[in-house]
Each structure stands twice: as structure tokens, then as C-alpha cells.
């Protein structure tokens, strides 16, 4: 068991290193002088030279790569050109919005999707199944910002229970900050849970056809007990896989939902730094997003091992 | 006394192409401690019959007839009643021990679960009993194996675990659906002997399903030969081995492994002869006798439904031409 984990860990670190090289090289080989790109074509040559100096662009590529890598280890990511603050500070500030939002949305997604998916599978080809599938179809077809706007109209404008948007900040008002994330989280969760519910349903249906579920019934377990005790855990592998993809998506910051609700999340940071050509921020944020996907995949891999004992023997 | 009486059992499966009748008018009885073999080629409705006994037919199945277990009609019983009987008084072993065990639970847990369910045992007591059962079915190092997962065992060992699970509550009837078909030839005989021994020891009745007549001769008191969803011949094993009245039974005899007479261990399945042709598709059954298209003795009359002819003491065959060929 531990041998398997050690091997996955090594693979994880190797992947992380490889992606850092790819991210670095891609931005390196982009045509044009980064300083010139950041300042625009009309910039004074003096200003460009000063920025090159400041960014250390004169140093050899490998030195800059390792410097950058070291920056991740030590938290020294350089300074944003447009915001004139350390990139780390900028990212942490945005993550304080995006991570809780992703967690709440994922929690809602998981609860809704597992309940609806298992319910639909247990009522296969009966009205309960059709009802869930109809809602899932609607949830997938409708764009999430549309749900967001509907929620704002209902809960903020008509009922006045929530603010229509904005984010007060955790230090200033933790409760209001939490509330500010609820409607966007629900808008995100509606679409995500519709997708995940479909995956859960079909996975549970597949498992219910397995021989060992019939064995469980032959032991005297009721249909429901056989499903919960013998079906669900086996059905989780595809569900967990999709959950990983969804969580990675949510953690990337969701530009549209953040804009609908005026949330200062990671999605808006990326959007802004790209439109302002702040390459320092772009490079770090891209690396962060790639790293996050790799980390989530690593965690999902470990979850597979927890779920399925056949994966525990090193092969 | 009669423990199980199956009367006029019909099973029809609803499919996209309409209803398909896979079991027709099957009837047999089973006394306490009696062993019955159900024999026939693949696709003859043996598994469907077994699943009907357990109340585990697929959802698409519709049934008619009666299955009287201790006087109670199982086909009319509600789900809660069936759940209380399954695993406790009726138990089943399946053909594929590899897929029949849950890959994510330990074998100890899977055996103990039956005891916790029907005997109200706490987990520790149930696991202790599971260890004893695994010992009983001859699983080596049973105590260690409680914590093993199915993929860590061989095919024969997995089938032993299935047997332990099925026998945990000392059922009245054990239904074994081709319990050795998926196993290595070398362990087939061991598993069969084990089932025979335990059934005798625990005083259970056994329904042993197989496509191999040689297996039946060793273990069972009575035989029902099934073809295309019907029992075409049934009777005491000795009587049938002495005089097979139905041409299909005769065909199965000729198709037995070459050394069947000299003990099963040598049964390395060199077939002497096979019955030409295939089992009919239940979606388009032939008119009259279903075996007629493959039967060497078929004549014009065989296009009409055959009568049930008494051959001897509780020995019957479903054939127009009983006694007219040798
Ligand atoms: N789920 C199903 N849907 C339609 N036909 C089926 C299904 N399961 C089995 N059958 C058909 O029912 C017949 C009897 O099958 P079965 O009882 O499994 O035969 P046996 O166990 O004797 O090999 C076969 O013709 C098979 O094709
Ligand atoms: Mg079968």
C-alpha cells in the first residue's frame, strides 16, 4: 500500500516539474520582448530597458527558470507590473474568494448529485428517474450565468435576502462574505450537479447489473441495502473522476459567474492580467492552475486506492 | 416429505422485441436431503429456473405457476418475506466466483454479513463464525484470509468462499448454478466433492445445475433434463442412467467427456460426439417438439407438441417416440 503511494507521489512531483518547464518554455518562446509586450508598442526605449532590468531578462534562461521555481518554493513570486504589489499577495487575496466558492459549490454539487443520481438509478425507468433526468437535462442545457441572474433577481432584488453582488472581505465581515458566495455557489452547483447526477446514475445502474449485487440479494439483502452496501462504493470511481475535473474547473475561477456577482476571484485576475499583458502575473497564475490540476489528479488517484483494494497492490 | 414443489413454472422476459418465453411449464419436487440435478446445454433456461426459485429473476421477467417451499408459494410471496428466506433457508452459488464476490469488501466481511443479517450476530462474533466456515470449506489459512480481498484468492478459493457464504445459515435448500464450470479442470472435482460432502453433513437439499451429465451421476438422487426451457425427461438418476428415454438425454450421454465412466478427475473433456445443431432461439421456437430439428429420430408427428410419457416409477419423458428407437 505505502509503496503504491510513494510511487504515485514521485510521479506527481515529476509531473509538476515537467509542467513547470512547459509553462516556462512556452512563455519564453513567445515572439517579442516581454518588456516591450507589457509596455506596448509605443513605449519609450528607456522604459523598456528599465523594465528588462527589473525583470532580470538579461540573465540566462536556465538561471531565470530556477529562480522562478525557487520563487514558488519560497513564496517570492515577483511583483505585478500593473498592480505594483507582490504577485503572491495578489493571488492569495483572490484565492480567498475562489477557494471557498469552489468548496461550497463542490459540496452542494456532491450532495445534490449523489442523492439525485442514486435516486434516479433506484427508480430506473420509472417516473422518479424521468423526473431527475429531465431536471438534469435542463441543468446542463442552461448556462450557469443565466441561473445566476435568475437567483439575483429572485433572492436579491425581489426578496432582498442577499446582496446582488460584491464581496466585503473576510476580515471586514465574515458572515456577509460567506453570504456573498452562496448565490454564486448555487448557480455553479446547479450545472455541475446536473452533470454529476447523470454520471452517478449511469455508474450506479452499471454496478447494479454486476453479479456481486445479485450475490448480495441472494444473501437476503433488500434491493436498497444491496445498493448502498455493495453498489455505491463500486460506483464511485467514475463519479470521483468527474468530481476531480469539476473541482479543478471551479478552482480556476469562473470568470462569468465572478463577473455576474462582482466577485474579486482568480478568474477575474487572470482576465485582467491578460488584458493588461501583465506577463509576470500570467505566468505565475497559469503555473498555479496547472499545478492545481496535477494536485487534484494526485488526490483522485489516492482516492481510487482507498475505494478499490485491487489498486493497492503495486504492479 | 416434499420440501419444494415447482408446478407449471413459466418465465417470460420482456425485451425490446416483445416478450420471450424462456421457461415453459417446468415442474419438479425436492424432498428434504434430496439432491436434484438440472442438466442441459447452455441457453436451456437452467439459470432462469434457479433464479425463479430464489426470487431473483431480472426485473423484466414475468412468472406463472407455483413454487411451493414448505407449502408457501414463493411466487406469491412479497419482497420482505423473500429477503428473510434468501441467505437463511434458501441459498445460491453462482457460476462465476470471480464476479460474484464484491471486489471492495474483504471475504471475511462478505461471509460475516449473512450472519449479521439473519442471525443478529455482532460483527466480531460473525467474523469468528466466518473463520470457522472458511475452515470448513477448506480455505487454507482461513484466519488470515478473513482480511483478504477476492482478487487475492484463486478461482477455486473464491468458490469456496461463495460456498461458505451460502452455507453460513445452514439453508434448507442450496441451489448451485454450474458451480464448477468456470474453474480449472483440476479443482472442479474438489469443489464438487466439497459441495456433496457438506450437503450430506448439514442435511440440506441440493439443486445442482450443470451441463455435464457426468457430474450429475456422482452427486444427485434425481435428474431433470432441460431443453429449450422445458423439462424433457426427469426421474431417478439411476433410472435415467439405465434407460434414457428422450433422444436429447441420449445425445447428452454420447457427448459426455470420454473418461467419465472412470472418475471425474480424468475428465479432460475430449468429447466423443456432440449433438449436431444449436439450442433454438427462444424468440422463434420451432413448432411442436423443440428438439425435433436436431433429433435423429424425428418424424412427421414431432411437429406437434409431444406428450409426457411415463417410463417407470416417477420417470417421465416428453416425447412422441418413447420406446420406438434404441
Ligand atoms: N436478460 C435476458 N434477456 C433476454 N433473454 C435472456 C436474458 N437472460 C437470458 N436470456 C435467454 O434466456 C434463455 C435461458 O437462459 P439461461 O437460463 O441463462 O440458460 P442456461 O442457464 O440454461 O444456460 C436463453 O435463451 C437466453 O438467451
Ligand atoms: Mg446458466
Amino acid at each position: 500500500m505505502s509503496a503504491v503511494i510513494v510511487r504515485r507521489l514521485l510521479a506527481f512531483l515529476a509531473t509538476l516539474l515537467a509542467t513547470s518547464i512547459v509553462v516556462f518554455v512556452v512563455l519564453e518562446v513567445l515572439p517579442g520582448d516581454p518588456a516591450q509586450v507589457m509596455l506596448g508598442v509605443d513605449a519609450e526605449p528607456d522604459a523598456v530597458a528599465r523594465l528588462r532590468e527589473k525583470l532580470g531578462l538579461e540573465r540566462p534562461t536556465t538561471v531565470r527558470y530556477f529562480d522562478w521555481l525557487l520563487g514558488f518554493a519560497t513564496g517570492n513570486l515577483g511583483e505585478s507590473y500593473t498592480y505594483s504589489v507582490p504577485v503572491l499577495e495578489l493571488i492569495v487575496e483572490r484565492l480567498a474568494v475562489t477557494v471557498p466558492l469552489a468548496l461550497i459549490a463542490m459540496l452542494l454539487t456532491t450532495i445534490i448529485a449523489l442523492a439525485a443520481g442514486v435516486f434516479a438509478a433506484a427508480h430506473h425507468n420509472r417516473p422518479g428517474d424521468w423526473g431527475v433526468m429531465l431536471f438534469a437535462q435542463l441543468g446542463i442545457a442552461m448556462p450557469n450565468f443565466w441561473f445566476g441572474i435568475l437567483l439575483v433577481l429572485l433572492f436579491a432584488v425581489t426578496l432582498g435576502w442577499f446582496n446582488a453582488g460584491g464581496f466585503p472581505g473576510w476580515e471586514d465581515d465574515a458572515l456577509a462574505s460567506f453570504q456573498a458566495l452562496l448565490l454564486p455557489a448555487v448557480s455553479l452547483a446547479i450545472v455541475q450537479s446536473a452533470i454529476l447526477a447523470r454520471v452517478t446514475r449511469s455508474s450506479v445502474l452499471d454496478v447494479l447489473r454486476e453479479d456481486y449485487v445479485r450475490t448480495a440479494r441472494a444473501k437476503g439483502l433488500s434491493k436498497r441495502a444491496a445498493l448502498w452496501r455493495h453498489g455505491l462504493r463500486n460506483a464511485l470511481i467514475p463519479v470521483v473522476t468527474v468530481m476531480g475535473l469539476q473541482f479543478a474547473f471551479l478552482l480556476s475561477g469562473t470568470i462569468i459567474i465572478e463577473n455576474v456577482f462582482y466577485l474579486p476571484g482568480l478568474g477575474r485576475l487572470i482576465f485582467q492580467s491578460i488584458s493588461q499583458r501583465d506577463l509576470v502575473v500570467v505566468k505565475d497564475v497559469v503555473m498555479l492552475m496547472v499545478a492545481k490540476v496535477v494536485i487534484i489528479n494526485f488526490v483522485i488517484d489516492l482516492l481510487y486506492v482507498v475505494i478499490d483494494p485491487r489498486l493497492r497492490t503495486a504492479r | 416429505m416434499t420440501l419444494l414443489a415447482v408446478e407449471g413454472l413459466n418465465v417470460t422476459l420482456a425485451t425490446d422485441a416483445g416478450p420471450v418465453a424462456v421457461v415453459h411449464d417446468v415442474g419438479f419436487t425436492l424432498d428434504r436431503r434430496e439432491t436434484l440435478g438440472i442438466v442441459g446445454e447452455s441457453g436451456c433456461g437452467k439459470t432462469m429456473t434457479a433464479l425463479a426459485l430464489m426470487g431473483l429473476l431480472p426485473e423484466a421477467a414475468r412468472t406463472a405457476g407455483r413454487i411451493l417451499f414448505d407449502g408457501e408459494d414463493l411466487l406469491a410471496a412479497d419482497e420482505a418475506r423473500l429477503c428473510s428466506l434468501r441467505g437463511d433457508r434458501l441459498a445460491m452459488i453462482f457460476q462465476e466466483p470471480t464476479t460474484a464476490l464484491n471486489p471492495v469488501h474483504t471475504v471475511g466481511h462478505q461471509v460475516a454479513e449473512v450472519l449479521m443479517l439473519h442471525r443478529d450476530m455482532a460483527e466480531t462474533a460473525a467474523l469468528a463464525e466466518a473463520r470457522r466456515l472458511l475452515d470448513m470449506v477448506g480455505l487454507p489459512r482461513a484466519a488470515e484470509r478473513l482480511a483478504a480481498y477476492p482478487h487475492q484468492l484463486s478461482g477455486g478459493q473464491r468458490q469456496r468462499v461463495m460456498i461458505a457464504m451460502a452455507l453460513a445459515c445452514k439453508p434448507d435448500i442450496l441451489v448451485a448454478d454450474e458451480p464448477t464450470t468456470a474453474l480449472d479442470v483440476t479443482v472442479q472435482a474438489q469443489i464438487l466433492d466439497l459441495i456433496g460432502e457438506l450437503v450430506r453433513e448439514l442435511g440440506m437439499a441440493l439443486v445442482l445445475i450443470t451441463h455435464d451429465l457426468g457430474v450429475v451421476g456422482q452427486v444427485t438422487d434425481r435428474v431433470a433434463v432441460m431443453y429449450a426451457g422445458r423439462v424433457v425427461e426427469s426421474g431417478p438418476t439411476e433410472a435415467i442412467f439405465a434407460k434414457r428415454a428422450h433422444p436429447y438425454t441420449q445425445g447428452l450421454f454420447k457427448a459426455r467427456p470420454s473418461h467419465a465412466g472412470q472418475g471425474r478427475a480424468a475428465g479432460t473433456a475430449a468429447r466423443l460426439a456432440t449433438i449436431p445443431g444449436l439450442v433454438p432461439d427462444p424468440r422463434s421456437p420451432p413448432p411442436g417438439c423443440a428438439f425435433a430439428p436436431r433429433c435423429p429420430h424425428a418424424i412427421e408427428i414431432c411437429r406437434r407438441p409431444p406428450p409426457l410419457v411415463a417410463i417407470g416409477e416417477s420417470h417421465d419423458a416428453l416425447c412422441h417416440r418413447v420406446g420406438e428407437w434404441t
Side-chain angles (χ1 to χ4, degrees):
Chain A
M1 172 115 181
S2 53
V4 175
I5 291 178
V6 167
R7 191 149 61 202
R8 301 249 157 134
L9 192 63
L10 289 177
F12 160 70
L13 292 174
T15 316
L16 217 48
L17 204 64
T19 48
S20 75
I21 294 174
V22 172
V23 169
F24 187 86
V25 168
V26 165
L27 286 173
E28 197 69 12
V29 298
L30 282 184
D33 177 359
Q36 186 82 57
V37 170
M38 289 168 79
L39 293 176
V41 276
D42 317 322
E44 302 282 326
D46 278 8
V48 175
R50 257 179 283 128
L51 186 58
R52 286 187 63 84
E53 173 75 36
K54 192 173 163 225
L55 296 176
L57 290 177
E58 308 302 337
R59 296 174 302 153
T61 314
T62 42
V63 173
R64 281 186 292 120
Y65 169 71
F66 284 109
D67 220 36
W68 181 60
L69 212 55
L70 203 67
F72 273 100
T74 57
N76 179 14
L77 298 182
E79 187 167 289
S80 157
Y81 173 70
T82 40
Y83 295 87
S84 299
V85 288
V87 178
L88 183 70
E89 213 169 279
L90 210 54
I91 289 176
V92 167
E93 192 182 291
R94 300 312 181 97
L95 286 179
V97 176
T98 294
V99 172
L101 177 61
L103 283 173
I104 300 171
M106 201 63 224
L107 187 71
L108 288 173
T109 301
T110 310
I111 294 171
I112 299 171
L114 288 189
V118 172
F119 177 85
H123 293 78
H124 184 43
N125 279 344
R126 277 178 283 159
D129 184 18
W130 301 332
V132 170
M133 283 300 98
L134 181 69
F135 275 104
Q137 202 60 55
L138 288 175
I140 292 170
M142 305 293 171
N144 58 14
F145 66 83
W146 187 74
F147 282 117
I149 293 169
L150 284 188
L151 290 176
V152 168
L153 284 177
L154 178 62
F155 289 102
V157 178
T158 308
L159 296 173
W161 293 354
F162 291 91
N163 285 332
F167 187 76
W170 295 106
E171 297 85 5
D172 291 345
D173 191 340
L175 186 66
S177 301
F178 179 71
Q179 280 182 347
L181 296 181
L182 278 184
L183 289 185
V186 170
S187 330
L188 290 166
I190 287 173
V191 178
Q192 302 293 319
S193 59
I195 298 170
L196 192 61
R198 290 182 64 111
V199 174
T200 307
R201 171 183 176 271
S202 70
S203 177
V204 170
L205 282 179
D206 281 347
V207 166
L208 287 183
R209 283 188 268 271
E210 294 283 349
D211 280 358
Y212 51 77
V213 173
R214 190 176 61 186
T215 306
R217 303 262 292 125
K219 286 177 178 179
L221 289 174
S222 67
K223 269 188 196 142
R224 179 189 297 260
L227 167 63
W228 286 99
R229 294 196 215 163
H230 290 270
L232 209 54
R233 188 154 153 206
N234 287 288
L236 277 182
I237 293 258
V239 174
V240 163
T241 308
V242 172
M243 280 173 66
L245 295 172
Q246 294 190 322
F247 195 51
F249 163 75
L250 291 173
L251 275 183
S252 305
T254 45
I255 296 172
I256 294 175
I257 285 294
E258 284 173 12
N259 274 317
V260 170
F261 290 94
Y262 299 107
L263 295 177
L266 205 57
R268 284 177 98 194
L269 175 65
I270 297 161
F271 184 69
Q272 286 159 349
S273 49
I274 289 175
S275 50
Q276 284 153 0
R277 285 171 286 178
D278 193 341
L279 290 186
V280 182
V281 178
V282 171
K283 185 161 67 175
D284 290 346
V285 172
V286 168
M287 184 58 212
L288 181 75
M289 290 169 62
V290 175
K292 176 200 63 205
V293 173
V294 177
I295 291 170
I296 288 175
N297 282 342
F298 173 64
V299 172
I300 297 288
D301 266 3
L302 292 187
L303 277 180
Y304 288 160
V305 175
V306 172
I307 293 171
D308 192 339
R310 283 169 295 186
L311 303 174
R312 282 175 212 165
T313 31
R315 215 172 298 139
Chain B
M1 78 147 275
T2 304
L3 180 61
L4 181 77
V6 177
E7 298 171 357
L9 176 66
N10 282 274
V11 178
T12 308
L13 296 171
T15 68
D16 295 339
V20 175
V22 292
V23 174
H24 300 269
D25 204 23
V26 162
F28 54 82
T29 61
L30 191 66
D31 289 347
R32 280 195 186 278
R33 297 169 183 274
E34 195 179 25
T35 55
L36 169 76
I38 298 182
V39 196
E41 288 165 293
S42 186
C44 284
K46 305 184 299 292
T47 296
M48 289 295 149
T49 305
L51 291 176
L53 298 181
M54 297 293 293
L56 288 178
L57 285 167
E59 298 224 325
R62 297 289 166 268
T63 53
R66 298 202 296 173
I67 298 177
L68 298 172
F69 172 62
D70 239 357
E72 178 183 3
D73 186 0
L74 296 182
L75 289 182
D78 65 13
E79 186 54 30
R81 174 67 183 146
L82 288 174
C83 281
S84 73
L85 291 175
R86 279 187 215 120
D88 186 7
R89 301 190 57 200
L90 296 167
M92 183 160 176
I93 309 173
F94 300 94
Q95 180 168 340
E96 288 286 348
T98 304
T99 54
L101 290 169
N102 192 330
V104 303
H105 293 304
T106 61
V107 300
H109 173 82
Q110 295 190 57
V111 176
E113 189 177 26
V114 198
L115 296 159
M116 296 196 282
L117 191 65
H118 294 292
R119 292 286 177 268
D120 271 340
M121 282 191 185
E123 188 162 6
T124 37
L127 279 171
E129 174 67 5
R131 198 198 65 81
R132 195 190 65 75
L133 288 161
L134 291 175
D135 244 347
M136 179 184 83
V137 298
L139 189 73
R141 295 183 285 124
E144 284 168 46
R145 290 296 180 49
L146 283 178
Y149 289 93
H151 73 275
Q152 294 166 321
L153 305 181
S154 70
Q157 290 172 336
R158 286 177 204 150
Q159 199 60 298
R160 287 178 197 270
V161 173
M162 282 298 296
I163 295 171
M165 206 188 296
L167 301 189
C169 294
K170 299 193 183 62
D172 295 326
I173 302 180
L174 174 67
V175 180
D177 186 4
E178 311 221 21
T180 59
T181 307
L183 304 180
D184 279 353
V185 180
T186 45
V187 292
Q188 286 186 356
Q190 295 169 18
I191 295 293
L192 205 60
D193 286 339
L194 177 71
I195 292 174
E197 240 167 65
L198 291 172
V199 162
R200 233 171 295 123
E201 230 167 79
L202 302 176
M204 293 177 291
L206 171 71
V207 177
L208 177 68
I209 293 174
T210 170
H211 58 258
D212 188 348
L213 257 181
V215 164
V216 163
Q218 312 281 330
V219 184
T220 66
D221 304 323
R222 295 178 54 81
V223 180
V225 179
M226 277 188 82
Y227 186 76
R230 289 176 203 274
V231 176
V232 295
E233 181 167 1
S234 67
T237 309
E238 279 168 33
I240 288 189
F241 270 64
K243 179 173 196 289
R244 27 291 180 185
H246 197 285
Y248 181 60
T249 316
Q250 174 74 3
L252 287 178
F253 261 92
K254 286 194 181 150
R256 271 187 307 163
S258 53
H259 303 290
Q262 302 156 27
R264 278 159 283 134
T268 29
R271 305 241 155 199
L272 283 181
T274 50
I275 309 170
L278 295 170
V279 175
D281 185 334
R283 280 168 300 185
S284 50
C289 174
F291 187 59
R294 299 171 72 186
C295 181
H297 311 293
I299 53 173
E300 193 55 33
I301 195 177
C302 299
R303 294 211 200 149
R304 276 186 274 145
L308 188 66
V309 179
I311 315 294
E313 179 76 19
S314 72
H315 180 185
D316 308 287
L318 198 65
C319 181
H320 285 288
R321 304 205 58 206
V322 169
E324 295 176 24
W325 54 274
T326 45

